[in-house]
Amino acid sequence: MRITNHMMQRNSLNNVSINKKQMSILDTQLSTQKKISRPSEDPIIAIRALRLRTSLGEVEQYLDKNIPDANSWLDVSEGALTEVDSILSDVYKYCVQGSTDTLSLSEREIISNSLKELRAALYAQGDVDYAGRYVFTGFRTDSSLTFKTDEQLQGADYSITQKFSSTDFDYKSVVTSTVDLKAVQNLTGEQLGNLTDAQLSAIADYNAIGSEDVHRIRLAYTDIKTAAEMTSASSVSVKYTDTNGTEKDFMADFGYSITETTDVNAVPGDDEVLLNTETGELLFGNNAYTDLFNAGDFSVTYEKDSFGKGDCKPEHYFTCTNLTTGLTYEKTEEGQNIEYIVNFNQKLKVNSEASDCLSLEMGRDIDEIINAVDSAIVAEGKVNTLKELKDNPNYSSEEAQEKLDKLIESAQKELDYYNDNLQKTFESGVTWMQNHQEDVDIAIADIGNRMTRLNLTKSRLESQKTNFKDLKSSNEDIELEDVVINYASAELVYNASLTAASKVVRQTLLDFI
């Protein structure tokens, strides 16, 4: 093959261009500190870089945003529940004190007032929020746990379905045939002295005063609607599920009916079911109790609209319908878990629902203690008032004094029963508060476990982040020393190619003539 000067010149220039291009590539690498500047230079490096950058971006998202957000949510929840535990601990101390000491009237009033303040503070902890989201209200993070404003109370009219099992039955001790103090105060000394034994017994029957235990189901709320006030139904309904899984009406199937009362000391007959709309209690006679107990799980549907500030919203605890807006809220067994993605294909639950850790039973149990204290205060006030009447000159006649002695004796007997009931309630309160504290401690421990998992995940992600950065750098970044050496070599080759090309280009045919 004949090699011409033109071919040699062209090859020389081409070699110079190739060497110059290599220098340009190395110069770009030195300037950018990267192996490639466009995917076409090395598709394998480019593809690997995209994958590593995506993985690193996800890790940084988890570390910089998701995990701190989840940790803050858990931290807020833990702090609130720790405060709840502290409140329950204070109530527990009062219960221990009340079950072991003989309390004066002033001490009882102090305890009653203190318990009311503690109860109000209890559910206020459920309204804590993180970044404007309430942490104990499931998916409804924009809704507070309690009614906080008058605006929220407007239209607060609910039909509530509360589920029970046979183990939810308990009993309450009621004092029967109490002293009618108002009737006494409306009598003059002469009128009191002229009372017959029958008339005196109508005011205070010493022999009839006693205590009786009544089976009951305690609803979540007090001051519920009466049958005449209900709008969605004609009365409170009690439904159970039979062995075939069919829901049935207990009252209709077993032949009972509900009688409403506001008497806190009402005692149902064996075949009676009483509903105290003020205290929110269903009281069962022996036969009615046995039938419903054997029926198994059941539910009670009732209505309430007399909510106050600090009361918990029903939609966070029960299946219910807002009768004003028509909205129905479902309470499912699965719950409303808010989960954060904290690692590749790994989620972590960050919320705790109020129904699991801030039971309405807490408030109802504290109410029970408060009511027992207040009842004992009222009973002691009767005794003191009657003693004052005995010292009153207007009641100084022998007949009036004799009647007052009998009334004081009856009032003292009533007080003894209330004191006994108060001590039993305080003793029960010790157990109640211990159980509630145990539930709260379990919830706190669960949060602690999740925080531990989160910290372990964080440590693992920090390690992954370091690894991904190393892999990304190894894939994309140059080794500066190697590139400098290669650049120097390329420069030497380029200069040599220039020298060789200059000799080829300057020779012509005339040089050989």
Side-chain angles (χ1 to χ4, degrees):
M1 178 179 178
R2 181 173 176 269
I3 304 299
T4 65
N5 287 345
H6 179 70
M7 292 172 63
M8 293 179 63
Q9 293 172 4
R10 186 176 60 191
N11 288 339
S12 296
L13 292 175
N14 187 48
N15 291 334
V16 170
S17 178
I18 291 174
N19 293 332
K20 190 172 184 180
K21 181 179 180 181
Q22 183 62 26
M23 282 191 65
S24 176
I25 292 173
L26 293 171
D27 181 68
T28 301
Q29 289 180 349
L30 286 172
S31 301
T32 62
Q33 302 291 303
K34 299 296 180 182
K35 291 180 180 179
I36 62 174
S37 57
R38 61 179 62 88
S40 59
E41 293 177 10
D42 193 327
I44 294 177
I45 291 178
I47 292 173
R48 191 181 294 125
L50 289 174
R51 290 174 178 172
L52 290 172
R53 288 188 180 192
T54 300
S55 298
L56 181 60
E58 290 180 1
V59 169
E60 290 177 340
Q61 167 74 23
Y62 301 144
L63 277 173
D64 299 339
K65 296 181 180 180
N66 293 22
I67 287 181
D69 199 18
N71 189 73
S72 297
W73 189 302
L74 291 171
D75 190 55
V76 169
S77 300
E78 183 182 38
L81 290 181
T82 300
E83 185 63 29
V84 169
D85 189 71
S86 176
I87 293 171
L88 293 174
S89 178
D90 291 339
V91 178
Y92 170 81
K93 292 176 184 177
Y94 282 120
C95 291
V96 172
Q97 178 186 352
S99 62
T100 57
D101 294 344
T102 301
L103 303 174
S104 66
L105 179 61
S106 59
E107 289 173 329
R108 285 172 175 162
E109 289 177 343
I110 291 173
I111 287 180
S112 179
N113 292 332
S114 298
L115 289 174
K116 290 173 183 176
E117 292 296 327
L118 290 172
R119 191 201 186 287
L122 184 66
Y123 293 104
Q125 298 303 317
D127 285 327
V128 297
D129 66 277
Y130 168 67
R133 296 172 292 175
Y134 294 100
V135 300
F136 291 112
T137 56
F139 295 151
R140 291 183 285 277
T141 57
D142 59 340
S143 175
S144 60
L145 181 67
T146 66
F147 294 101
K148 300 174 69 175
T149 64
D150 292 332
E151 183 179 358
Q152 290 178 344
L153 290 172
Q154 293 176 359
D157 186 3
Y158 290 84
S159 173
I160 303 167
T161 298
Q162 187 173 350
K163 295 181 178 180
F164 297 94
S165 68
S166 55
T167 58
D168 291 317
F169 270 104
D170 66 348
Y171 66 87
K172 65 178 293 188
S173 296
V174 298
V175 178
T176 57
S177 187
T178 57
V179 176
D180 188 353
L181 182 62
K182 289 184 179 180
V184 178
Q185 292 174 318
N186 289 333
L187 298 174
T188 64
E190 182 179 357
Q191 290 172 331
L192 179 60
N194 292 333
L195 290 178
T196 64
D197 289 342
Q199 290 173 325
L200 186 63
S201 295
I203 295 175
D205 187 349
Y206 179 85
N207 295 324
I209 295 175
S211 180
E212 187 170 344
D213 292 337
V214 179
H215 299 290
R216 71 168 177 181
I217 283 293
R218 191 173 59 182
L219 303 178
Y221 295 97
T222 60
D223 297 319
I224 65 174
K225 287 184 183 180
T226 64
E229 295 170 330
M230 293 182 69
T231 56
S232 63
S234 57
S235 64
V236 170
S237 65
V238 180
K239 295 184 178 180
Y240 72 100
T241 303
D242 65 11
T243 55
N244 296 323
T246 304
E247 189 176 65
K248 292 186 175 181
D249 189 318
F250 171 75
M251 298 298 170
D253 282 5
F254 287 85
Y256 297 109
S257 60
I258 294 178
T259 303
E260 294 179 357
T261 181
T262 56
D263 182 6
V264 294
N265 292 315
V267 178
D270 287 343
D271 296 318
E272 282 189 312
V273 179
L274 301 181
L275 171 64
N276 192 317
T277 55
E278 290 186 358
T279 61
E281 296 172 317
L282 276 169
L283 309 175
F284 292 81
N286 291 329
N287 295 335
Y289 159 73
T290 301
D291 287 338
L292 186 54
F293 184 90
N294 293 332
D297 294 345
F298 59 96
S299 64
V300 180
T301 300
Y302 55 96
E303 293 183 13
K304 178 177 173 62
D305 61 356
S306 55
F307 292 95
K309 290 182 181 178
D311 287 343
C312 293
K313 296 179 180 178
E315 59 260 34
H316 300 308
Y317 290 89
F318 310 110
T319 294
C320 59
T321 300
N322 187 314
L323 300 175
T324 302
T325 63
L327 291 176
T328 296
Y329 304 91
E330 293 288 339
K331 185 65 176 176
T332 61
E333 296 292 337
E334 295 79 12
Q336 299 178 353
N337 297 336
I338 298 176
E339 296 178 326
Y340 276 28
I341 300 176
V342 295
N343 202 345
F344 299 100
N345 299 319
Q346 181 179 342
K347 296 180 180 179
L348 181 74
K349 175 185 173 184
V350 298
N351 70 315
S352 299
E353 291 186 66
S355 56
D356 296 327
C357 54
L358 288 171
S359 168
L360 292 179
E361 289 296 310
M362 293 180 185
R364 292 291 270 145
D365 287 340
I366 295 176
D367 287 340
E368 192 91 1
I369 300 168
I370 293 172
N371 292 337
V373 173
D374 291 345
S375 296
I377 291 173
V378 171
E380 188 172 359
K382 287 183 182 181
V383 174
N384 294 337
T385 300
L386 290 171
K387 288 180 177 179
E388 291 174 359
L389 288 177
K390 196 172 186 304
D391 295 333
N392 191 322
N394 295 327
Y395 296 84
S396 59
S397 67
E398 183 177 348
E399 294 81 4
Q401 289 288 302
E402 181 182 349
K403 298 294 191 302
L404 283 171
D405 286 337
K406 291 182 179 180
L407 289 169
I408 290 172
E409 186 179 7
S410 296
Q412 185 61 52
K413 184 178 181 181
E414 178 185 337
L415 175 59
D416 291 341
Y417 277 113
Y418 275 118
N419 281 335
D420 182 64
N421 184 42
L422 176 59
Q423 184 173 2
K424 290 179 180 177
T425 304
F426 273 128
E427 290 173 353
S428 297
V430 171
T431 303
W432 294 337
M433 294 308 118
Q434 286 177 329
N435 291 338
H436 292 317
Q437 279 188 283
E438 182 178 347
D439 292 339
V440 173
D441 289 341
I442 289 174
I444 293 174
D446 179 55
I447 292 174
N449 290 336
R450 282 181 271 158
M451 292 180 75
T452 300
R453 287 172 51 199
L454 191 63
N455 289 332
L456 290 174
T457 301
K458 181 180 179 181
S459 298
R460 188 160 56 249
L461 283 172
E462 287 173 344
S463 177
Q464 286 181 321
K465 180 179 179 180
T466 301
N467 291 337
F468 280 132
K469 280 188 173 182
D470 290 342
L471 289 172
K472 176 177 173 291
S473 177
S474 176
N475 181 64
E476 298 179 19
D477 298 341
I478 63 170
E479 292 291 340
L480 186 60
E481 297 84 354
D482 293 342
V483 175
V484 169
I485 293 173
N486 292 336
Y487 184 82
S489 299
E491 184 180 24
L492 182 62
V493 172
Y494 174 67
N495 289 332
S497 64
L498 285 177
T499 301
S502 65
K503 294 180 179 180
V504 172
V505 172
R506 72 187 181 188
Q507 289 178 337
T508 65
L509 182 61
L510 296 176
D511 295 325
F512 299 98
I513 297 177

